[in-house]
């Protein structure tokens, strides 16, 4: 009874579902065919060319319609075809010797390569159809007016001279001239050596000029520094006695002041100085030694460590305390001072000599 009910249900509803699914599938297949058909037709209309004439080809044989065969090169001479892709042909006569190539430009022609299938190709030279057969990837046969011309690839010529030959033929076509061109590997190597030699000479000259300019700049900087040192000494020596006494009095008062003792205590305790502290130190030094900071900066473009070391030396701070405040080793502070002396005076000197120089200026 149940089976009969199921069959009855299928007959009533299942058949309709089945027909609907079949119609949907058929509709999908038709749409797929409709979409893919133009694509496949388009691909079929475009015949891909798996073979390319790109490169150089030399003539090896000419066979006439009567069966006569001439082999090339003859006396070292043959015909050379240089193809630029499958769109342009550069034709020339070629004589090859042990040391050079002699090229006689002939013609420049536009070409179109057409694959007929089965190894048969047809291409147009300036619109003139020429049957072309591919014997192998390195050998082709071109028919011109019933005569068969066999060419073989010349990869070596193409790699070394292809671009030069194309440029020569193109230039001849533009100028309507016929000339002979000799291409020599030895001359090319010599030209390359000459070019590198010229570049090397230019680089050498540039280096020499740079060294000379640096030397001149250093010499001028040294002269300027010596002049500054001379002016500092003259200014110190020519200062009137009353002025010296007044400055000495200001200096004594500063080192006896509470501000200086507070600063000195901070140094001894190893407290780090902030930016505003360094500004205050510079202001105090300008009051006591008006020309010190400007003279110091004009001597040499100092780093922050060098400049701060000099300020503290001028304040009679001990090198060990300077090292503590600046978070450096005592040996580093000593090296900074001796290095500054050498840079400014151009000769070796100790840290004490530099300290004595600093204590003598600006006062």
């Amino acid at each position: 009874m149940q089976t009969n009910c199921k069959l009855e249900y299928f007959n009533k509803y299942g058949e309709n579902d089945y027909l609907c699914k079949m119609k949907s599938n058929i509709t999908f297949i038709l749409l797929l065919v409709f979409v893919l058909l133009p694509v496949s037709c388009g691909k079929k209309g475009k015949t891909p060319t798996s073979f390319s004439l790109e490169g150089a080809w030399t003539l090896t044989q000419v066979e006439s319609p009567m069966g006569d065969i001439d082999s090339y090169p003859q006396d070292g001479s043959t015909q050379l075809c240089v193809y630029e892709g499958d769109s342009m042909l550069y034709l020339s006569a070629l004589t090859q010797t042990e040391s050079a190539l002699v090229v006689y430009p002939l013609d420049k022609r536009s070409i179109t390569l057409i694959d007929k299938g089965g190894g048969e190709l047809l291409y147009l030279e300036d619109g003139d159809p020429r049957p072309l057969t591919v014997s192998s990837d390195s050998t082709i046969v071109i028919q011109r007016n019933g005569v068969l011309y066999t060419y073989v690839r010349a990869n070596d010529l193409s790699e070394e001279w292809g671009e030069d030959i194309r440029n020569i033929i193109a230039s001849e076509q533009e100028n309507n001239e016929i000339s002979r061109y000799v291409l020599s590997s030895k001359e090319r190597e010599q030209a390359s050596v000459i070019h590198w030699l010229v570049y090397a000479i230019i680089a050498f000259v540039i280096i020499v000029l740079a060294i000379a300019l640096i030397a001149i700049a250093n010499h001028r900087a040294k002269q300027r520094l010596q002049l500054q040192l001379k002016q500092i000494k003259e200014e110190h020596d020519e200062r009137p006695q009353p002025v010296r006494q007044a400055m000495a009095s200001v200096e004594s008062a500063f080192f006896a002041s509470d501000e200086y003792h507070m600063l000195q205590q901070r140094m001894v305790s190893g407290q780090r100085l902030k930016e505003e502290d360094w500004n205050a130190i510079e202001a105090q030094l300008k009051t006591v030694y008006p020309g010190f900071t400007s003279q110091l900066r004009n001597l040499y473009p100092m780093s922050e460590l060098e400049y701060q070391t000099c300020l503290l030396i001028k304040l009679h701070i001990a090198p060990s305390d300077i090292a503590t405040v600046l978070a450096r080793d005592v040996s580093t502070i000593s090296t900074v001072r001796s290095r500054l002396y050498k840079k400014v005076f151009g000769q070796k000197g100790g840290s004490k000599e530099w300290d004595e120089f600093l204590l003598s200026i600006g006062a």
Side-chain angles (χ1 to χ4, degrees):
M1 184 71 177
Q2 293 177 354
T3 304
N4 292 335
C5 290
K6 289 180 178 179
L7 290 172
E8 187 175 353
Y9 178 84
F10 175 80
N11 291 334
K12 186 175 181 180
Y13 301 103
E15 184 177 1
N16 291 333
D17 293 339
Y18 177 76
L19 289 175
C20 288
K21 290 181 179 179
M22 285 293 293
K23 290 178 181 179
S24 298
N25 291 336
I26 292 172
T27 302
F28 175 77
I29 292 172
L30 290 175
L31 288 173
L32 187 62
V33 171
F34 179 78
V35 171
L36 295 179
L37 185 60
V39 177
S40 62
C41 290
K43 290 183 178 180
K44 189 174 180 180
K46 296 180 181 180
T47 305
T49 304
S50 58
F51 177 80
S52 176
L53 291 170
E54 173 73 26
W57 300 77
T58 55
L59 180 66
T60 60
Q61 180 177 290
V62 176
E63 182 177 354
S64 68
M66 302 300 295
D68 298 330
I69 297 176
D70 293 324
S71 298
Y72 290 87
Q74 294 182 356
D75 299 329
S77 299
T78 186
Q79 189 183 80
L80 177 67
C81 296
V82 179
Y83 290 94
E84 188 174 34
D86 294 325
S87 61
M88 190 64 65
L89 164 64
Y90 297 86
L91 189 64
S92 64
L94 174 69
T95 300
Q96 190 167 5
T97 65
E98 294 181 359
S99 59
L101 296 177
V102 182
V103 178
Y104 300 86
L106 297 179
D107 200 2
K108 174 184 175 183
R109 303 171 185 174
S110 61
I111 66 167
T112 303
L113 186 64
I114 302 172
D115 192 347
K116 297 173 62 178
E120 292 290 333
L121 293 97
L122 179 70
Y123 83 131
L124 309 178
E125 288 186 10
D126 289 336
D128 188 12
R130 311 264 186 195
L132 185 147
T133 303
V134 180
S135 300
S136 66
D137 186 62
S138 60
T139 305
I140 59 174
V141 180
I142 300 176
Q143 180 179 332
R144 295 188 182 96
N145 300 323
V147 181
L148 301 178
Y149 297 84
T150 302
Y151 294 88
V152 296
R153 281 192 184 275
N155 292 329
D156 294 341
L157 289 176
S158 178
E159 293 174 2
E160 186 172 2
W161 301 109
E163 183 177 357
D164 294 323
I165 293 173
R166 289 197 302 267
N167 292 336
I168 288 172
I169 296 173
S171 176
E172 290 291 331
Q173 290 294 306
E174 293 177 0
N175 299 329
N176 295 321
E177 297 178 357
I178 299 178
S179 304
R180 183 185 70 170
Y181 293 85
V182 179
L183 306 179
S184 173
S185 299
K186 182 177 291 187
E187 290 181 359
R188 169 174 283 186
E189 293 175 359
Q190 291 176 348
S192 178
V193 171
I194 292 173
H195 288 161
W196 280 109
L197 183 60
V198 170
Y199 294 149
I201 292 174
I202 293 174
F204 177 76
V205 171
I206 292 174
I207 293 172
V208 171
L209 288 176
I211 294 174
L213 290 174
I214 293 173
I216 292 172
N218 290 337
H219 180 69
R220 289 179 177 176
K222 189 174 181 180
Q223 286 182 328
R224 185 166 54 250
L225 180 59
Q226 291 175 348
L227 180 60
Q228 290 173 352
L229 292 174
K230 182 179 179 181
Q231 290 174 346
I232 291 172
K233 187 176 183 304
E234 290 176 351
E235 181 182 351
H236 182 271
D237 295 341
E238 295 175 0
R239 190 172 294 161
Q241 186 64 26
V243 174
R244 291 185 184 183
Q245 291 176 351
M247 294 186 68
S249 176
V250 172
E251 184 180 28
S252 299
F254 170 72
F255 285 114
S257 65
D258 294 337
E259 291 84 357
Y260 176 74
H261 287 298
M262 290 177 59
L263 176 64
Q264 197 173 35
Q265 289 176 1
R266 292 183 63 183
M267 298 292 177
V268 173
S269 63
Q271 293 184 27
R272 297 295 299 274
L273 299 180
K274 299 179 181 179
E275 183 177 357
E276 53 267 25
D277 296 325
W278 288 110
N279 293 335
I281 290 174
E282 281 188 317
Q284 290 175 344
L285 285 173
K286 287 181 181 178
T287 302
V288 182
Y289 308 110
F292 175 73
T293 55
S294 59
Q295 290 174 351
L296 186 62
R297 289 190 177 278
N298 289 332
L299 286 175
Y300 178 79
M302 298 181 183
S303 66
E304 184 179 10
L305 174 61
E306 293 172 335
Y307 182 67
Q308 291 176 349
T309 299
C310 293
L311 294 182
L312 296 180
I313 290 171
K314 190 66 174 175
L315 291 173
H316 297 274
I317 305 299
S320 58
D321 294 333
I322 295 175
T324 302
V325 171
L326 298 180
R328 296 291 195 280
D329 295 333
V330 177
S331 60
T332 302
I333 300 302
S334 178
T335 302
V336 167
R337 292 144 66 203
S338 59
R339 185 174 60 217
L340 282 171
Y341 186 90
K342 182 178 180 181
K343 289 180 178 178
V344 171
F345 291 96
Q347 59 186 11
K348 289 184 179 181
S351 55
K352 291 183 178 181
E353 285 84 355
W354 178 251
D355 294 350
E356 292 174 358
F357 168 71
L358 287 180
L359 296 175
S360 68
I361 64 174

